[in-house]
Amino acid sequence: MTKKIQVEYFTDILCIWAYGAQIRIEQLQQDFPEQVTVTPRYIPLFASTGEHIDKGWADKGGFAGFSQHTLDVARDWDHVRVHPNIWTGDVPASSTSTHLFIKAVQLLEQQGAIETSTETELPSTTLAWNLRKHFFAEQQNIARREVQCALAESMNLPVSAIQDKLNCGEAHAALHADIEAQKRYQVAGSPTLILNEGRQQLYGNVGYRIIEANMRELLHNPQFGEASWC
């Protein structure tokens, strides 16, 4: 039996490019269901939105300027919706809170405390996508624990068990492992696909055909990999 190709997918939950790229990850898993395993990892690009946006974009209008930038990025996308007032009002102070909540759910999956199916995507993957939609499409502050818990409850996820993983520090340790992996691979930003044990990186707004070509080359020679002709 052919060994599965392991892909590590680095994103920040508040990254507009990762929001738009989710359709490509879903297509990848649909095209290679038996050959590819995608491991989501979360990085602190928006760990402080005050630093990253309010100060980092101070000469471009701060949050208001970044709001317009986000709308400009997504203007021609017809597969996702972005709220016209995104990044205004009650904005998340950090993506870290949301990342920790997702990591807690991942831990429960790994430990068998949340039922998973080989025929459907993992609950943590669905949760991450729903959180992204709650922010980008509905302008909800997904850094707030009450927003996270309400969404988890709507998905029939065990909120008390999730909170326990947060309270005991296990979710923090799991998120730390993601950040260490980011450093190890020298991942520059979100979204980034790591292939072939770090030998290949696909960073940014990469078209699906490029992703697919790299996968097919690795599947053709999974032990060593081959440079894509694309």
Side-chain angles (χ1 to χ4, degrees):
M1 186 174 179
T2 303
K3 185 178 179 181
K4 278 193 171 184
I5 299 297
Q6 302 297 318
V7 177
E8 295 178 72
Y9 184 50
F10 291 79
T11 68
D12 187 299
I13 201 74
L14 297 177
C15 172
I16 182 62
W17 294 106
Y19 178 53
Q22 181 63 29
I23 191 172
R24 296 169 194 161
I25 302 303
E26 293 172 357
Q27 188 65 49
L28 174 67
Q29 294 173 310
Q30 179 179 321
D31 290 347
F32 303 95
E34 304 299 326
Q35 301 106 322
V36 174
T37 297
V38 178
T39 300
R41 293 192 180 275
Y42 296 93
I43 58 176
L45 183 63
F46 290 88
S48 171
T49 59
E51 288 290 330
H52 187 75
I53 300 174
D54 198 30
K55 291 185 179 179
W57 278 67
D59 60 343
K60 302 177 185 177
F63 279 106
F66 197 76
S67 173
Q68 187 58 54
H69 164 70
T70 302
L71 293 170
D72 290 343
V73 165
R75 177 176 290 114
D76 296 327
W77 294 351
D78 57 8
H79 62 291
V80 291
R81 185 170 67 89
V82 176
H83 196 282
N85 297 321
I86 193 68
W87 286 115
T88 63
D90 183 20
V91 301
S94 173
S95 59
T96 302
S97 168
T98 315
H99 293 166
L100 286 168
F101 198 84
I102 298 169
K103 298 309 291 187
V105 175
Q106 288 181 343
L107 286 169
L108 291 170
E109 291 170 346
Q110 295 163 12
Q111 296 166 6
I114 293 179
E115 184 177 351
T116 60
S117 171
T118 57
E119 298 177 357
T120 59
E121 67 181 10
L122 292 172
S124 60
T125 302
T126 303
L127 173 66
W129 174 240
N130 287 339
L131 284 163
R132 280 194 164 106
K133 287 196 298 182
H134 266 53
F135 175 65
F136 284 107
E138 300 174 27
Q139 202 190 7
Q140 292 198 34
N141 185 346
I142 59 171
R144 293 189 177 278
R145 190 69 74 214
E146 61 268 25
V147 174
Q148 300 162 6
C149 289
L151 183 53
E153 286 178 356
S154 74
M155 296 175 58
N156 295 316
L157 295 174
V159 173
S160 61
I162 295 170
Q163 290 175 328
D164 183 63
K165 293 300 179 188
L166 293 165
N167 293 337
C168 74
E170 288 186 48
H172 296 75
L175 183 58
H176 175 73
D178 284 2
I179 296 171
E180 287 298 301
Q182 177 193 10
K183 295 176 183 176
R184 183 168 64 252
Y185 294 129
Q186 298 182 340
V187 171
S190 167
T192 296
L193 286 163
I194 297 293
L195 320 173
N196 200 12
E197 299 179 343
R199 299 180 185 90
Q200 293 168 252
Q201 290 193 23
L202 300 177
Y203 166 44
N205 190 30
V206 179
Y208 180 72
R209 296 308 176 195
I210 296 175
I211 297 172
E212 180 187 30
N214 277 268
M215 291 301 167
R216 294 197 182 281
E217 294 293 344
L218 285 172
L219 288 167
H220 181 69
N221 189 352
Q223 184 175 0
F224 301 105
E226 295 182 358
S228 170
W229 284 84
C230 296

